[in-house]
Amino acid sequence: MSITGRDDGSPGPDRISYAMVGGGQGAFIGAVHRLAARLDDEFALVAGALSSEPERAVASARALGIAPDRSYASWQELIERESARPDKVEAIAIVTPNHVHYAPAKAALEAGFHVICDKPMTTTLEEARSLAETVKRTGRLFILTHNYTAYPMIRHARAMVAAGELGRLRVVQVEYAQGWLATPLEGTGHKQADWRTDPKRSGAGGSVGDIGTHAFNLASFVSGLNATSLCADLSIFVEGRRLDDNANVLLRFEGGATGMLWASQVAIGNENRLVLRLYGEKGGLSWSQEQPNDLHWSPLGEATRLITRGTAHANAAAARLTRIPSGHPEGYLEGFANLYGEAARAIRAARTGSAPDAEVLYPTVEDGVRGVAFIEAAVASSAKGGVWVPL
Amino acid sequence: MSITGRDDGSPGPDRISYAMVGGGQGAFIGAVHRLAARLDDEFALVAGALSSEPERAVASARALGIAPDRSYASWQELIERESARPDKVEAIAIVTPNHVHYAPAKAALEAGFHVICDKPMTTTLEEARSLAETVKRTGRLFILTHNYTAYPMIRHARAMVAAGELGRLRVVQVEYAQGWLATPLEGTGHKQADWRTDPKRSGAGGSVGDIGTHAFNLASFVSGLNATSLCADLSIFVEGRRLDDNANVLLRFEGGATGMLWASQVAIGNENRLVLRLYGEKGGLSWSQEQPNDLHWSPLGEATRLITRGTAHANAAAARLTRIPSGHPEGYLEGFANLYGEAARAIRAARTGSAPDAEVLYPTVEDGVRGVAFIEAAVASSAKGGVWVPL
Amino acid sequence: MSITGRDDGSPGPDRISYAMVGGGQGAFIGAVHRLAARLDDEFALVAGALSSEPERAVASARALGIAPDRSYASWQELIERESARPDKVEAIAIVTPNHVHYAPAKAALEAGFHVICDKPMTTTLEEARSLAETVKRTGRLFILTHNYTAYPMIRHARAMVAAGELGRLRVVQVEYAQGWLATPLEGTGHKQADWRTDPKRSGAGGSVGDIGTHAFNLASFVSGLNATSLCADLSIFVEGRRLDDNANVLLRFEGGATGMLWASQVAIGNENRLVLRLYGEKGGLSWSQEQPNDLHWSPLGEATRLITRGTAHANAAAARLTRIPSGHPEGYLEGFANLYGEAARAIRAARTGSAPDAEVLYPTVEDGVRGVAFIEAAVASSAKGGVWVPL
Amino acid sequence: MSITGRDDGSPGPDRISYAMVGGGQGAFIGAVHRLAARLDDEFALVAGALSSEPERAVASARALGIAPDRSYASWQELIERESARPDKVEAIAIVTPNHVHYAPAKAALEAGFHVICDKPMTTTLEEARSLAETVKRTGRLFILTHNYTAYPMIRHARAMVAAGELGRLRVVQVEYAQGWLATPLEGTGHKQADWRTDPKRSGAGGSVGDIGTHAFNLASFVSGLNATSLCADLSIFVEGRRLDDNANVLLRFEGGATGMLWASQVAIGNENRLVLRLYGEKGGLSWSQEQPNDLHWSPLGEATRLITRGTAHANAAAARLTRIPSGHPEGYLEGFANLYGEAARAIRAARTGSAPDAEVLYPTVEDGVRGVAFIEAAVASSAKGGVWVPL
């Protein structure tokens, strides 16, 4: 096999200590964050407010090897008591349902911690803007885990666009299709379905917030373009559901490109079908999250190329996030871990008061603001019958 | 191999005689019609007004074995003189650019001929409605060549939906993506590019008319649902072009389903990517024209099935349009020939004054009206900035 | 769409008249030959000995529009009486089970007819060699319908190899997998299963003859290499079957390349999975009959290209056998029709005593000899426990 | 998304301590082992003899956070000094080139350590048998890292076969194709190419040993069948190379199944294409390492199913090795980590003197013996011109 991958880059004893808010036993995304943080051995989880239920919090902390005195009953306590420790954590990962992102993130930033926060960033645009202000003022790092941005072939695509290889972009097609909410699962005690369909915990967006924001973010990340307006048609197909489970959206981008975004959680047969296609004057690109090691590149007038991760044809932007040889698939966890890797590099740079290298990229608080603006605009557009709303 | 196909069903000497308007040397779709008509040996091409250029008309007729006295200088002459013959043709195929569909079709119907007509049916909704009235009044057959409706696996999908296997439909996603007009090909003497981007010959729609109508028709054909309104964002990306080369459209259907339609001729890397996906309460279906022998069926809660043409798993609606065993791919011409086969069955039934069997299906003049209405609505919607327009 | 295809090339009244031996109602491959012959309108079927059962022969002829006086009771009668006609056919297509290839082919050649013959050519190598001698002596054309050789992208691949684009070949991998004989279908009145598993009618090879010869021929056709020896392990998996239903074969080619050939009719889930992969010093090629419009080309050190039929990237060898634009799939019948097209060009050239253009290619009687030698060698090798046998 | 995955199962402070032999900076497979061991946080790397070059050993240990006093200069020293520690490691992972597997593995076992060893197990069958005897005698655990056995969908397939869902097996097709050694890379200072093509370090097999053993092992693991004999044709295509770079092999299995195995390192365009296909009386299975989350299941007479990891259709054997939801791809590292997970479960059971649960599976020393026997037989068969050799 072709040994093009980096070594595992183990940092030895010099790990970045972090705490986690949320992510106790039975949670999903918290476990993913921990796996991602662990893969490259850059982080050490040493504290947590893992659950609002005290018993679950204690049991989860024990299972994770967190010392009992650093397992806290609430995020407030975590921030207060960690702040007082000489060996306080450097960063706090917030992996709670959406309605519990804003307050702990803001408090953590104010207390001087770097923040790694799940998406969507907040449940209102007002909160999102407030958080952006806080980040600016405190100078702390804020990494929003739009994890798909850290797949190597997404980086490859982004670098191609940035280098002008596609020419001026014309069309952006993005979709994120799932089928798991095709039935009223939220009535069955399914914890994930419960909170993701609950406006109190998720905010105003259902599918458009949960997965539409990923699609929206990815389109901008790779295209380098911000959307300027949208027209959305949101639906609730499952009876009794309180938030949209399908979102059909038209987009217009700065510079004249147009696009479509489809997010659905009732598209039976789809698992996590996040597909991005970009078309410019000089070529087209296509990528699918379910086969993330492949990127299809169609230069104008030539045969389509299958560019694969870990090969000589993958560019430097892809290569720096590649661990193992081509043909040995890297997946979702590796992509998520890449984002933690970017966070690690940024945090290490911040220790010395410097900015990370230019190639270090992660979704920022500004991307978070744009994501929440997208949700609010989509909901507003649809509520008015599907009119164009500026972003 | 599994011999599940029908024999070649050769009808012997009892062929249906037909004439062709357009389709002279250098044309594209006329040749396709002839290949399609010929495959099952149901038709005999015996007359034609193949070109408005006399020399080309004569040469084309000679090459096709059309007797010189049945090669006419114009469609008017064709209709007039064939009408006077005792052995006059039974049907007239109209394969001219869009602006020369209406007049010959109307005249042919009035003169008592059955008509097989390329799409979109006319360049204005007024003409389309007039033609529908003519068909109704004359009782002649009118077959609109939305050929994709005659692929076996499309028939399979349609029968599944009709039988309720998907439950109530929720989401309809359809796209038809091409890349061949990504550059100003119409400035280079490319005959197809010329007329397809010329409002005088194509009508008000560019990509939305040329391929968007195919997508629109197919979505309705399989779903059994008519769209009730749309919101369209059409673009002209190639400088100097006079008609849209990309169309992003939101759709709403009767019964509450919603959908998206994307038609593009600037999506580099796409050839004839017509993809239809349908999602209902009980399952999802996915089909792509570029691999037409496959249908992906995802029943709720079960593994996705790959249903293939020519197998025991293909239903009766697919089997009746299947020639050869599974794994031996049938393609575009076979699909097109299937539509000619449907026409043949309808014409044979009409000879005896009866209707064809219920399973004989083809796009009708009413579908043609809906297709032109779609184009007009999309153009109007986009012209107003992208508003919802009823259909 | 990109109009890169040729027109339908209708030859007008100047068709090549031919007769068919076998192919009566209920037969499979005869119907395929007729569809293939008809597609490009180069041939006219005017005579036949369609079945050894008189009633079936008459009914079949009538259905096909063959005049009653040219529907013959036997191939002997066909040859005798056609020979005597001033308007006798130019060619005879032999589409009977294998054991009825040799005698009518030989007689037809001796009587001055060109022969188009299904595969494998004969049931013994002795007959095969005799037929080769007859062809040489009579100077008549003999076209063996290894139809897969006429797929456009197979021609593309062959031309690449011939031009040295792969460098010296190293490895040839070919397989033809079916699953339709996974159960004892021959006991159920299934006509195709009956004769294909019957040594009296098929010869000594089961799967190795029926489909293995296709794979063997295709490997040689594209690689330009003859196999020099083989080692075969044939199996009969279905109880009571009399001929092999699975063949595992190692191959050695002139020039040092090695290869493997797998033919199976018990590989459930496979329909007509004929896959060819070639690897040389400078690149690799991969093609599958079930998606025949695609060719995967992997140049050394570069990304794999998807070369598709009907595009500017398809080479001249592919383009000359292309009818319709890329993205509109051509399939099995078009490929088969291409071989009839080659036959037509050769026959037209022969009318004037000349050879066809150099790019006209079809499997010859020599290929037929090699195919039968392959079967005999494989059977012999396996019978001896799997030893190497020269070819 | 569907939360079907297990949590990350963090074991807290109770990790299994292990040492590594080989795997210093610049090595490939050592880094993979560490990533795999780390993912589920079941192991702690606390000691190592990471390189035979002292400087590299020290630097590597430092980078990995191994205490200086547990970074040893040789595997001999490692075993000796760890044996003397009260906090000695529980297991030793051996990730050196093949020729340095036997001696340290044997010594480690004799000293009472469990061993995790890379493949192929040894460079001679004699050593392999000796190691098997040692394992038996010492009662220590020996886990051979045929990592592909721990992909969830491989486990799914194995359980299906074991449950009789395919009926009696007939045909086993397995291939492992790479292209990275298509040129004389070993002459260019490429460390991996150097040792893998060097008989002194790799043993008698080139591609047949490096990747052919993986294919051989996987076929047996899933089919539950041992091969009883083989016939091999090995080639060296790259001039000057000393070990085979392509292996074509026929296989016969107990119970009457037959098969083919292809291993190649000169198949340009292939990265790590390990594909397994099994055909039984009742159905067929197909799996590819490059898309490991998918398993294609073709039951006799029914449509092929796409069974995906993380769904309700995946069986218990797959589910227990699944971390994250379907549609979020798991890859090579997760599969490798699964094997480390099995090792962890076995080691934890061994702590209490018990056997692990029945579903815990890993390749054993006996599999290692069979793998080395396979290499020796293939080399011997080929050396004799390709004769059948018993296994």
Side-chain angles (χ1 to χ4, degrees):
Chain A
M1 79 208 73
S2 168
I3 305 304
T4 56
R6 62 175 184 183
D7 198 332
D8 62 347
S10 302
D14 184 27
R15 295 189 189 88
I16 296 163
S17 63
Y18 78 111
M20 184 168 277
V21 175
Q25 288 170 339
F28 161 63
I29 202 67
V32 166
H33 278 250
R34 289 194 296 269
L35 283 161
R38 187 187 303 140
L39 190 68
D40 292 325
D41 205 23
E42 300 265 9
F43 288 87
L45 178 63
V46 298
L50 298 169
S51 174
S52 52
E53 302 170 36
E55 276 185 43
R56 189 192 298 263
V58 168
S60 301
R62 188 187 314 120
L64 290 165
I66 294 174
D69 67 325
R70 296 181 88 171
S71 171
Y72 304 104
S74 67
W75 60 260
Q76 291 91 341
E77 187 191 352
L78 184 154
I79 292 170
E80 185 187 334
R81 291 182 43 194
E82 281 294 316
S83 296
R85 294 180 68 105
D87 63 345
K88 63 185 163 195
V89 295
E90 284 186 82
I92 297 179
I94 298 171
V95 298
T96 43
N98 306 346
H99 69 308
V100 193
H101 289 176
Y102 172 68
K106 189 171 174 69
L109 292 163
E110 300 282 8
F113 297 103
H114 301 305
V115 168
I116 297 169
C117 183
D118 214 69
K119 46 46 62 185
M121 191 167 77
T122 60
T123 54
T124 69
L125 186 52
E126 191 185 351
E127 288 173 352
R129 288 181 175 144
S130 163
L131 209 53
E133 182 277 332
T134 308
V135 169
K136 192 171 180 185
R137 180 165 39 78
T138 61
R140 298 292 81 194
L141 298 170
F142 185 92
I143 293 100
L144 188 68
T145 50
H146 280 306
N147 53 295
Y148 305 109
T149 59
Y151 271 116
M153 300 320 287
I154 283 294
R155 295 298 179 97
H156 186 107
R158 184 182 187 277
M160 287 184 70
V161 174
E165 294 187 49
L166 277 76
R168 177 192 288 261
L169 290 182
R170 291 166 168 176
V171 180
V172 176
Q173 294 286 354
V174 65
E175 66 182 57
Y176 197 147
Q178 300 179 330
W180 69 292
L181 286 175
T183 58
L185 201 58
E186 63 266 40
T188 66
H190 188 293
K191 184 175 170 177
Q192 292 291 326
D194 279 354
W195 78 258
R196 288 175 200 266
T197 60
D198 177 1
K200 288 191 193 143
R201 287 178 280 175
S202 273
S207 64
V208 79
D210 193 24
I211 55 177
T213 47
H214 271 310
F216 181 78
N217 175 266
L218 193 68
S220 285
F221 182 78
V222 177
S223 71
L225 299 177
N226 287 315
T228 54
S229 61
L230 63 74
C231 173
D233 193 23
L234 310 187
S235 301
I236 297 176
F237 284 113
V238 172
E239 208 179 318
R241 184 159 288 160
R242 289 170 295 165
L243 288 174
D244 67 270
D245 47 25
N246 189 83
N248 301 337
V249 186
L250 301 182
L251 295 168
R252 291 177 185 152
F253 292 87
E254 55 193 5
T258 70
M260 302 170 82
L261 181 153
W262 176 43
S264 185
Q265 296 180 314
V266 297
I268 298 170
N270 292 282
E271 297 177 344
N272 278 287
R273 186 181 155 79
L274 170 59
V275 173
L276 177 65
R277 295 179 287 177
L278 294 179
Y279 302 100
E281 294 168 324
K282 299 188 202 166
L285 282 175
S286 174
W287 179 86
S288 172
Q289 197 263 149
E290 298 193 352
Q291 298 185 16
N293 299 281
D294 296 347
L295 179 68
H296 299 266
W297 161 231
S298 303
L300 179 65
E302 298 182 28
T304 293
R305 268 86 164 149
L306 175 60
I307 303 174
T308 48
R309 186 196 53 73
T311 60
H313 346 118
N315 62 25
R320 64 182 284 277
L321 298 184
T322 289
R323 287 173 192 77
I324 53 173
S326 65
H328 281 331
E330 294 193 8
Y332 175 86
L333 291 175
E334 287 81 358
F336 216 115
N338 285 340
L339 192 52
Y340 264 85
E342 297 291 60
R345 285 178 279 275
I347 291 169
R348 291 187 195 283
R351 285 178 180 173
T352 65
S354 59
D357 291 344
E359 74 260 25
V360 173
L361 294 173
Y362 53 81
T364 65
V365 74
E366 295 302 337
D367 294 305
V369 172
R370 276 188 283 268
V372 177
F374 163 75
I375 298 171
E376 291 210 350
V379 170
S381 167
S382 190
K384 291 175 188 166
V387 298
W388 287 88
V389 172
L391 279 165
Chain B
M1 77 207 77
S2 169
I3 305 305
T4 56
R6 62 176 185 184
D7 199 330
D8 61 347
S10 302
D14 183 27
R15 294 189 189 85
I16 297 163
S17 63
Y18 79 110
M20 186 168 275
V21 175
Q25 288 169 339
F28 160 64
I29 202 67
V32 166
H33 278 249
R34 290 193 297 270
L35 283 161
R38 187 187 304 140
L39 190 69
D40 293 324
D41 206 22
E42 299 265 9
F43 288 88
L45 178 64
V46 299
L50 298 169
S51 175
S52 52
E53 302 168 37
E55 276 185 43
R56 190 193 297 262
V58 168
S60 301
R62 188 188 312 121
L64 290 165
I66 294 174
D69 69 325
R70 295 181 88 172
S71 171
Y72 304 103
S74 68
W75 60 262
Q76 291 91 341
E77 187 191 353
L78 184 154
I79 291 170
E80 185 187 334
R81 291 184 43 194
E82 282 293 316
S83 295
R85 294 180 68 105
D87 64 346
K88 64 184 164 197
V89 296
E90 285 186 82
I92 297 178
I94 298 171
V95 298
T96 43
N98 306 345
H99 69 309
V100 193
H101 289 176
Y102 173 67
K106 188 171 176 67
L109 292 163
E110 300 280 9
F113 297 103
H114 301 305
V115 168
I116 298 169
C117 183
D118 214 70
K119 47 47 59 183
M121 191 166 76
T122 61
T123 54
T124 70
L125 186 52
E126 191 184 353
E127 289 173 351
R129 287 180 176 145
S130 163
L131 209 52
E133 181 279 329
T134 308
V135 169
K136 193 172 180 186
R137 179 166 41 78
T138 61
R140 297 293 80 194
L141 297 170
F142 185 92
I143 294 97
L144 188 69
T145 49
H146 280 305
N147 54 295
Y148 305 109
T149 59
Y151 270 116
M153 299 322 285
I154 283 294
R155 295 298 179 98
H156 186 108
R158 185 183 187 277
M160 286 183 70
V161 173
E165 293 186 49
L166 277 75
R168 177 193 289 261
L169 291 182
R170 292 167 167 175
V171 180
V172 176
Q173 294 286 355
V174 65
E175 66 181 58
Y176 196 147
Q178 301 178 329
W180 70 291
L181 286 175
T183 59
L185 201 58
E186 62 267 42
T188 67
H190 189 294
K191 184 176 171 176
Q192 291 292 327
D194 278 355
W195 79 258
R196 287 175 200 267
T197 60
D198 178 0
K200 288 192 192 143
R201 288 177 281 175
S202 273
S207 63
V208 79
D210 192 23
I211 54 176
T213 47
H214 271 311
F216 181 78
N217 174 267
L218 193 69
S220 284
F221 182 78
V222 177
S223 71
L225 299 177
N226 286 315
T228 54
S229 61
L230 65 72
C231 173
D233 192 22
L234 310 187
S235 301
I236 297 176
F237 284 113
V238 172
E239 207 178 321
R241 183 158 289 160
R242 288 169 296 165
L243 289 174
D244 67 90
D245 46 25
N246 189 83
N248 301 338
V249 186
L250 301 182
L251 295 169
R252 290 176 186 154
F253 293 87
E254 55 193 6
T258 70
M260 302 170 83
L261 182 153
W262 175 44
S264 184
Q265 296 180 314
V266 297
I268 298 170
N270 292 282
E271 297 177 345
N272 278 287
R273 186 181 155 81
L274 170 59
V275 173
L276 177 65
R277 295 178 288 177
L278 294 178
Y279 301 99
E281 294 168 325
K282 299 187 200 167
L285 283 173
S286 173
W287 179 85
S288 172
Q289 198 263 150
E290 298 192 353
Q291 297 184 18
N293 300 281
D294 296 346
L295 179 68
H296 298 266
W297 161 230
S298 303
L300 178 65
E302 298 181 28
T304 292
R305 268 85 164 150
L306 175 61
I307 303 174
T308 50
R309 187 195 53 73
T311 58
H313 347 117
N315 63 24
R320 64 181 284 277
L321 298 184
T322 289
R323 287 172 192 78
I324 52 173
S326 65
H328 281 332
E330 295 192 9
Y332 175 87
L333 291 175
E334 287 80 0
F336 216 115
N338 285 340
L339 193 52
Y340 263 85
E342 297 291 62
R345 284 178 280 275
I347 291 170
R348 291 187 195 283
R351 286 178 180 174
T352 65
S354 58
D357 291 343
E359 73 260 26
V360 173
L361 295 173
Y362 53 82
T364 66
V365 74
E366 295 302 336
D367 294 306
V369 172
R370 276 189 283 269
V372 178
F374 163 74
I375 298 171
E376 292 210 349
V379 171
S381 167
S382 190
K384 290 176 189 165
V387 299
W388 287 88
V389 172
L391 280 167
Chain C
M1 80 207 76
S2 169
I3 305 304
T4 56
R6 63 175 184 185
D7 198 332
D8 62 347
S10 302
D14 184 27
R15 294 188 189 86
I16 297 163
S17 63
Y18 79 111
M20 185 167 276
V21 175
Q25 289 170 339
F28 161 63
I29 202 68
V32 166
H33 278 248
R34 291 194 295 271
L35 283 161
R38 187 187 301 138
L39 190 68
D40 292 324
D41 206 22
E42 300 266 8
F43 288 88
L45 178 64
V46 299
L50 299 169
S51 175
S52 52
E53 304 169 36
E55 275 186 44
R56 191 192 297 262
V58 168
S60 300
R62 188 188 313 120
L64 290 165
I66 294 174
D69 68 325
R70 297 181 85 172
S71 170
Y72 304 105
S74 68
W75 61 260
Q76 291 91 341
E77 187 190 352
L78 184 154
I79 291 169
E80 184 186 335
R81 292 183 44 195
E82 282 293 317
S83 295
R85 294 179 69 105
D87 63 344
K88 64 183 163 196
V89 294
E90 285 186 82
I92 297 180
I94 298 171
V95 299
T96 43
N98 306 346
H99 68 310
V100 193
H101 288 176
Y102 172 68
K106 188 169 175 67
L109 291 164
E110 300 282 7
F113 297 103
H114 302 305
V115 169
I116 297 168
C117 183
D118 215 68
K119 46 49 58 187
M121 191 166 77
T122 61
T123 54
T124 70
L125 186 52
E126 190 183 353
E127 290 173 352
R129 288 180 176 145
S130 164
L131 209 52
E133 181 279 329
T134 308
V135 169
K136 193 171 179 186
R137 179 166 40 78
T138 61
R140 297 293 79 194
L141 298 171
F142 185 92
I143 294 99
L144 188 69
T145 50
H146 280 306
N147 54 293
Y148 304 109
T149 59
Y151 271 115
M153 300 320 287
I154 282 294
R155 296 297 179 98
H156 186 107
R158 186 184 187 276
M160 286 183 70
V161 173
E165 295 186 48
L166 277 74
R168 176 192 290 261
L169 290 182
R170 293 166 167 176
V171 181
V172 177
Q173 294 286 355
V174 66
E175 67 181 58
Y176 196 147
Q178 301 178 329
W180 71 290
L181 286 175
T183 59
L185 201 58
E186 62 268 42
T188 66
H190 189 293
K191 185 176 170 174
Q192 291 293 326
D194 277 355
W195 80 257
R196 289 175 200 266
T197 60
D198 178 2
K200 289 193 192 140
R201 289 177 279 175
S202 274
S207 64
V208 79
D210 192 23
I211 55 177
T213 47
H214 271 311
F216 181 78
N217 174 266
L218 193 68
S220 285
F221 182 78
V222 177
S223 71
L225 299 176
N226 286 316
T228 54
S229 61
L230 64 73
C231 174
D233 192 22
L234 310 187
S235 302
I236 297 177
F237 284 113
V238 172
E239 208 178 319
R241 184 158 289 160
R242 290 169 295 166
L243 289 173
D244 67 89
D245 47 23
N246 189 82
N248 301 337
V249 186
L250 300 182
L251 296 169
R252 290 177 187 153
F253 293 87
E254 55 193 5
T258 70
M260 302 170 84
L261 181 152
W262 176 44
S264 185
Q265 296 181 313
V266 298
I268 297 171
N270 292 282
E271 297 178 344
N272 277 288
R273 185 181 156 79
L274 170 59
V275 173
L276 177 65
R277 294 178 288 176
L278 295 179
Y279 302 98
E281 295 167 324
K282 299 188 201 166
L285 283 173
S286 174
W287 178 87
S288 172
Q289 197 261 151
E290 298 193 353
Q291 298 184 18
N293 299 281
D294 296 346
L295 179 68
H296 298 266
W297 162 232
S298 304
L300 178 65
E302 298 182 28
T304 293
R305 268 84 165 149
L306 175 61
I307 303 174
T308 50
R309 187 196 52 75
T311 59
H313 347 119
N315 63 24
R320 65 181 282 278
L321 297 185
T322 290
R323 288 172 190 79
I324 52 174
S326 65
H328 281 332
E330 294 193 9
Y332 175 86
L333 291 175
E334 287 80 359
F336 216 117
N338 286 339
L339 192 52
Y340 263 84
E342 298 291 60
R345 283 178 281 275
I347 291 170
R348 290 186 195 284
R351 285 178 181 172
T352 65
S354 57
D357 292 342
E359 74 259 27
V360 173
L361 295 173
Y362 53 82
T364 66
V365 76
E366 296 302 337
D367 294 306
V369 173
R370 276 188 284 269
V372 178
F374 163 75
I375 298 170
E376 292 211 350
V379 170
S381 167
S382 190
K384 291 177 189 163
V387 299
W388 286 89
V389 172
L391 279 166
Chain D
M1 76 208 75
S2 170
I3 305 307
T4 57
R6 63 175 184 184
D7 199 331
D8 62 347
S10 302
D14 184 27
R15 295 188 188 87
I16 297 163
S17 62
Y18 79 111
M20 184 167 276
V21 175
Q25 288 169 339
F28 161 63
I29 204 67
V32 166
H33 278 250
R34 290 193 296 270
L35 283 160
R38 187 187 303 139
L39 191 68
D40 292 324
D41 206 21
E42 300 265 10
F43 288 88
L45 178 64
V46 298
L50 299 169
S51 176
S52 51
E53 303 169 37
E55 275 185 43
R56 191 192 297 263
V58 167
S60 301
R62 189 188 312 120
L64 290 164
I66 293 174
D69 68 325
R70 297 181 86 171
S71 172
Y72 304 104
S74 68
W75 60 260
Q76 291 90 341
E77 187 191 353
L78 184 153
I79 291 169
E80 184 187 335
R81 292 183 41 194
E82 283 292 318
S83 297
R85 294 179 68 105
D87 63 346
K88 64 183 162 196
V89 294
E90 286 186 80
I92 296 179
I94 298 171
V95 298
T96 42
N98 306 345
H99 68 309
V100 193
H101 289 175
Y102 172 68
K106 189 171 175 66
L109 292 163
E110 301 281 8
F113 298 104
H114 302 305
V115 168
I116 298 169
C117 182
D118 216 67
K119 43 49 59 184
M121 191 167 75
T122 61
T123 54
T124 71
L125 187 51
E126 191 184 352
E127 289 172 351
R129 288 180 177 144
S130 164
L131 209 52
E133 182 277 329
T134 307
V135 169
K136 194 173 178 185
R137 178 165 42 76
T138 61
R140 298 291 82 195
L141 298 171
F142 185 91
I143 294 99
L144 189 68
T145 50
H146 280 306
N147 54 294
Y148 305 109
T149 59
Y151 271 116
M153 299 320 287
I154 282 294
R155 296 296 180 99
H156 186 108
R158 184 183 188 278
M160 285 184 70
V161 174
E165 295 187 47
L166 277 75
R168 178 192 289 261
L169 290 181
R170 293 166 166 175
V171 181
V172 176
Q173 294 287 354
V174 66
E175 66 181 58
Y176 196 146
Q178 300 179 330
W180 71 291
L181 285 175
T183 58
L185 200 58
E186 62 268 41
T188 66
H190 188 292
K191 184 175 171 176
Q192 292 292 327
D194 278 355
W195 79 259
R196 288 175 200 267
T197 60
D198 177 1
K200 288 191 193 142
R201 288 177 280 175
S202 273
S207 65
V208 79
D210 192 23
I211 55 177
T213 46
H214 271 312
F216 181 79
N217 173 266
L218 193 68
S220 286
F221 182 78
V222 177
S223 71
L225 299 176
N226 286 316
T228 54
S229 61
L230 63 74
C231 173
D233 193 22
L234 311 187
S235 302
I236 297 176
F237 285 113
V238 172
E239 209 179 319
R241 183 158 291 161
R242 290 169 294 165
L243 289 173
D244 67 270
D245 46 26
N246 189 84
N248 300 339
V249 186
L250 300 182
L251 295 169
R252 290 176 187 153
F253 292 87
E254 56 192 4
T258 70
M260 303 171 82
L261 181 153
W262 175 43
S264 185
Q265 296 181 313
V266 297
I268 298 171
N270 292 282
E271 297 177 346
N272 277 288
R273 185 181 156 80
L274 170 58
V275 173
L276 177 66
R277 295 178 288 176
L278 294 179
Y279 301 99
E281 295 169 325
K282 299 188 201 166
L285 283 174
S286 174
W287 179 86
S288 171
Q289 198 261 148
E290 298 192 353
Q291 298 184 17
N293 299 280
D294 296 347
L295 180 68
H296 297 266
W297 160 232
S298 303
L300 179 65
E302 298 182 29
T304 293
R305 268 85 165 150
L306 175 61
I307 303 174
T308 49
R309 186 196 53 74
T311 60
H313 346 118
N315 62 24
R320 64 181 282 280
L321 298 185
T322 289
R323 287 172 190 78
I324 52 173
S326 65
H328 281 331
E330 294 192 9
Y332 175 87
L333 291 174
E334 286 82 359
F336 216 116
N338 286 340
L339 192 52
Y340 264 84
E342 298 290 62
R345 283 178 281 274
I347 291 170
R348 290 187 195 285
R351 286 179 181 173
T352 65
S354 58
D357 291 343
E359 73 259 26
V360 173
L361 295 172
Y362 53 82
T364 65
V365 76
E366 295 301 337
D367 295 305
V369 172
R370 276 189 283 268
V372 177
F374 163 76
I375 298 170
E376 292 210 351
V379 170
S381 167
S382 190
K384 291 176 189 165
V387 299
W388 287 88
V389 172
L391 279 166

